[in-house]
Amino acid sequence: MAAGKGGAGGSEPRCLTEDMVFMRTKCNRMDLIRNLNLWGNDLNNISILSQMPNLEVLSLSVNQVSSLAALGGCEKLTELYLRKNNIFDLAEVQHLSSLSKLRVLWLNDNPCAELPYYRQYVLHHLPNLSKLDSQDVTPEERDRALHAAVGEVQTCLRVPLSPPQEDFDDEPPYEPPQRSPPQHSSAPSPMSAWEGQVPRGGGGGQPFADRRNSQEIPISQLMRERRPSADFQQQQQHLQQQQQQR
């Protein structure tokens, strides 16, 4: 009947079986068991406890119990420990209302214990309690709880499975910022003084901008202007002859 491997600390939830009960109590009869400690066993199904009418003290802390319906038949139960389980609905304590001998109940560290009227609701349905969690029940607190109108209060506190999603439907669509066109100034740019002096191209026959004026002169003409004259060539030859004679 067991549905998974036992033990606390992240294993899968499982069902309480007779074998588990007998192993912990060293007793082979369910109706003779009076004390049962099932702390930290990842139990989520405890229906077999309905077969234990003489149970007096029961510890179910640190499990995954969410329903207390199986405990309604444990009429001799006096102490019940249910800390750190998955009891979301505070109305589950109504299953214990027939347990007239129940005096001690530990239910904190369950989601239902976060409700602001938690103690008042529990004591309204279980007025015979002398201690709820770690705090004793005073006659004044019991009297206020008995006269409290708890019939219409919210009993279930559920934690959302995922954080709420933000609603973006009402937000306007994104529009990029508008930029004004660049303003062109009529004043000359700092580089305008150098225009006409930078070569516009490379290679033979391509026109260059003359540094002396704004006219474009073919490169062939510039090469002719830069060739040495005939007089200069004759002077060079004369100097070479004189050096040879020496």
Side-chain angles (χ1 to χ4, degrees):
M1 294 177 60
K5 298 180 179 180
S11 58
E12 295 182 358
R14 60 176 181 171
C15 174
L16 179 62
T17 64
E18 285 187 357
D19 293 337
M20 295 172 62
V21 174
F22 294 157
M23 182 177 63
R24 283 163 175 76
T25 60
K26 308 302 180 182
C27 181
N28 58 0
R29 286 183 55 179
M30 301 285 287
D31 59 333
L32 296 180
I33 299 174
R34 294 186 177 183
N35 295 275
L36 181 59
N37 185 359
L38 297 170
W39 186 95
N41 282 276
D42 290 325
L43 299 172
N44 68 337
N45 188 333
I46 57 172
S47 59
I48 198 174
L49 294 177
S50 62
Q51 303 177 22
M52 306 174 66
N54 293 314
L55 194 61
E56 296 178 2
V57 178
L58 174 62
S59 175
L60 282 168
S61 296
V62 193
N63 282 283
Q64 300 190 34
V65 176
S66 60
S67 174
L68 303 180
L71 302 178
C74 302
E75 297 178 355
K76 295 185 179 181
L77 197 62
T78 59
E79 297 181 19
L80 178 59
Y81 302 90
L82 290 164
R83 292 178 59 248
K84 295 187 178 181
N85 276 276
N86 291 337
I87 303 175
F88 284 90
D89 194 349
L90 190 56
E92 289 292 325
V93 299
Q94 296 186 31
H95 293 296
L96 310 178
S97 58
S98 62
L99 308 182
S100 59
K101 296 184 178 182
L102 187 62
R103 295 293 182 267
V104 177
L105 175 63
W106 286 67
L107 195 61
N108 58 344
D109 295 326
N110 279 275
C112 64
E114 299 297 327
L115 292 168
Y117 39 82
Y118 156 70
R119 288 184 62 87
Q120 196 173 42
Y121 185 94
V122 173
L123 294 176
H124 179 87
H125 293 282
L126 305 176
N128 293 327
L129 289 179
S130 59
K131 189 172 186 178
L132 177 57
D133 300 327
S134 59
Q135 184 176 349
D136 293 334
V137 180
T138 63
E140 294 78 14
E141 185 181 21
R142 182 182 294 107
D143 186 65
R144 288 194 303 269
L146 286 173
H147 293 86
V150 297
E152 301 297 330
V153 299
Q154 179 185 357
T155 62
C156 188
L157 179 64
R158 293 193 175 276
V159 180
L161 298 179
S162 59
Q165 300 294 327
E166 298 182 8
D167 187 7
F168 297 98
D169 294 340
D170 297 334
E171 293 189 4
Y174 172 77
E175 294 183 0
Q178 300 293 332
R179 296 183 179 180
S180 57
Q183 301 294 330
H184 297 282
S185 176
S186 57
S189 63
M191 296 299 295
S192 59
W194 297 94
E195 292 181 358
Q197 300 183 14
V198 181
R200 298 183 182 179
Q206 297 294 331
F208 279 76
D210 188 12
R211 296 176 184 270
R212 295 168 296 181
N213 51 55
S214 59
Q215 296 180 357
E216 294 183 352
I217 303 173
I219 191 171
S220 57
Q221 182 176 348
L222 291 174
M223 295 299 294
R224 288 195 300 270
E225 291 181 357
R226 294 178 182 179
R227 291 175 180 172
S229 60
D231 296 339
F232 178 78
Q233 292 179 352
Q234 292 178 359
Q235 293 177 2
Q236 292 293 330
Q237 292 177 358
H238 179 69
L239 291 174
Q240 291 177 359
Q241 292 176 359
Q242 287 181 353
Q243 292 177 357
Q244 292 175 358
Q245 292 176 1
R246 293 177 184 177

